Amino acid sequence: MFPVESVNQYHPFYIADELGFFAEEGLEVEFEDAGGSSSAIQQVLAGNAEAGLPAPSAFLNAVAQGHELRWIYSYQYANIFTLAATAESGITQLSDLAGKRVGVSDLSGGEVPLVRAVLTEAGLGEGSDVRLVPVGDGSALTVDALQSGQVDAYSSSLFDLAAIRSAGIDMVTILPQEAQDFPANGIVVTADFLEAEPEKLAGFLRAVAKGVAYAAANDERAFDMAKQIRPEEFELEALAAENWTAARTLKTPPESLIDQPLGSHYLPGFQAYHDFLRQGTEEEGGLAADVDLELVLDSSLLESANEFDRAAVAGK
């Protein structure tokens, strides 16, 4: 269960299927759009799907509410939300936002709690120092707001920012590095299913890891394969290229994990994100209780998932 329908964003999974990596494990896999991370988790909890690929916020909230879930493979490592200023604005750091206007997709958008938190840490007050203005999710309305100077900076997902850049607007990321390192989506299953079917899940993860390894070694070929799988996602070449860059950024592990098994969890990023979520109210998407990250970030299958010849996969 993917949170959204996107071959571009989740291309290693589709490539793994296309190259027969799942079939080699004796698996038939279906990919479905759950309509959001919380919905993906609900489908897993209901037994309608064996695995989901939710955002960590939805996963941590579900665990904090008492659900026995396990995060068994980290697919994306960078924060899917960002904060960037137009190059023309001269804004290069958060303190430069004093007296400025920051565009957001919507005042209830998932990026808003992040923006409010980093502004507070920078000593800036929303309303008094910085005004948040809803300008859409990378649409023509957003482009116009940035080009006309209605807003000086913009916060939304990396894919919305990709749409802005594809329109020819040069943007400079000003989100603090710690927040950029908040994790993104990973593979989640119930604790019961992990205990009952470890070999099946290990095979599934191995096929995914092969798809990730193939895409990393063959970026252009992977792009062409994804384009053939779903051509309509790639009709606008500039946007498709920016989205591909965003997808590559998201799935690139931090330097400390470069030599670790594919799918390894970045605990410092998770801990920082956990602590960030604990500061907010439940209405704002904050956690209702602490989560034992060493328990729920399960690495038991990662060694088996990486038991393949990377060179052979890369040359397939």
Side-chain angles (χ1 to χ4, degrees):
M1 279 290 184
F2 293 140
V4 297
E5 187 177 20
S6 173
V7 170
N8 196 318
Q9 188 172 168
Y10 307 126
H11 58 271
F13 292 81
Y14 290 91
I15 287 172
D17 194 31
E18 196 77 7
L19 294 178
F21 295 148
F22 292 114
E24 290 172 1
E25 301 293 340
L27 300 173
E28 292 183 8
V29 180
E30 291 183 30
F31 305 127
E32 295 187 15
D33 169 16
S37 289
S38 295
S39 296
I41 285 178
Q42 289 169 8
Q43 293 298 324
V44 171
L45 290 171
N48 297 326
E50 285 75 23
L53 196 77
S57 54
F59 167 73
L60 291 172
N61 270 291
V63 174
Q65 292 164 14
H67 296 292
E68 292 289 332
L69 293 167
R70 298 293 182 265
W71 183 284
I72 60 173
Y73 186 101
S74 288
Y75 170 61
Q76 295 172 328
Y77 292 93
N79 192 346
I80 196 166
F81 294 117
T82 190
L83 172 61
T86 61
E88 290 185 353
S89 70
I91 296 170
T92 59
Q93 55 190 358
L94 287 174
S95 59
D96 294 336
L97 290 175
K100 306 293 185 181
R101 291 162 295 189
V102 175
V104 293
S105 63
D106 185 88
L107 290 179
S108 62
E111 74 278 10
V112 173
L114 175 69
V115 174
R116 287 173 173 159
V118 297
L119 287 177
T120 298
E121 289 183 2
L124 298 173
E126 180 193 349
S128 57
D129 299 308
V130 181
R131 181 183 169 199
L132 300 188
V133 182
V135 294
D137 51 0
S139 64
L141 177 67
T142 316
V143 171
D144 181 67
L146 288 163
Q147 289 179 330
S148 65
Q150 179 186 347
V151 295
D152 308 284
Y154 178 62
S155 180
S156 193
S157 78
L158 288 180
F159 295 95
D160 291 338
L161 191 64
I164 300 302
R165 287 184 166 133
S166 72
I169 300 177
D170 190 12
M171 302 291 289
V172 178
T173 299
I174 59 173
L175 187 70
Q177 189 62 50
E178 181 184 63
Q180 291 183 48
D181 290 339
F182 287 169
N185 300 41
I187 298 175
V188 169
V189 299
T190 63
D192 287 343
F193 188 63
L194 174 58
E195 183 178 358
E197 297 282 3
E199 291 186 8
K200 180 182 288 186
L201 280 171
F204 174 72
L205 295 187
R206 189 159 43 247
V208 171
K210 287 180 179 179
V212 170
Y214 179 89
N218 303 281
D219 189 66
E220 291 186 10
R221 275 190 281 170
F223 181 89
D224 289 339
M225 287 182 67
K227 185 176 181 179
Q228 291 172 17
I229 293 169
R230 187 164 298 155
E232 60 271 25
E233 256 187 73
F234 296 80
E235 289 178 351
L236 300 176
E237 293 184 6
L239 178 57
E242 289 288 353
N243 279 337
W244 191 261
T245 297
R248 190 193 307 117
T249 298
L250 283 169
K251 62 189 178 73
T252 299
E255 190 173 341
S256 62
L257 295 184
I258 292 297
D259 296 324
Q260 297 301 306
L262 295 173
S264 294
H265 314 309
Y266 184 55
L267 187 57
F270 256 100
Q271 188 65 60
Y273 191 46
H274 170 278
D275 296 346
F276 166 75
L277 291 176
R278 282 293 279 147
Q279 295 173 25
T281 65
E282 288 186 60
E283 291 75 17
E284 295 172 330
L287 295 181
D290 286 336
V291 172
D292 184 350
L293 295 179
E294 292 191 2
L295 172 66
V296 299
L297 300 179
D298 191 289
S299 300
S300 62
L301 301 180
L302 292 181
E303 182 177 350
S304 179
N306 282 267
E307 289 178 346
F308 63 91
D309 185 337
R310 287 205 199 184
V313 166
K316 190 173 177 70

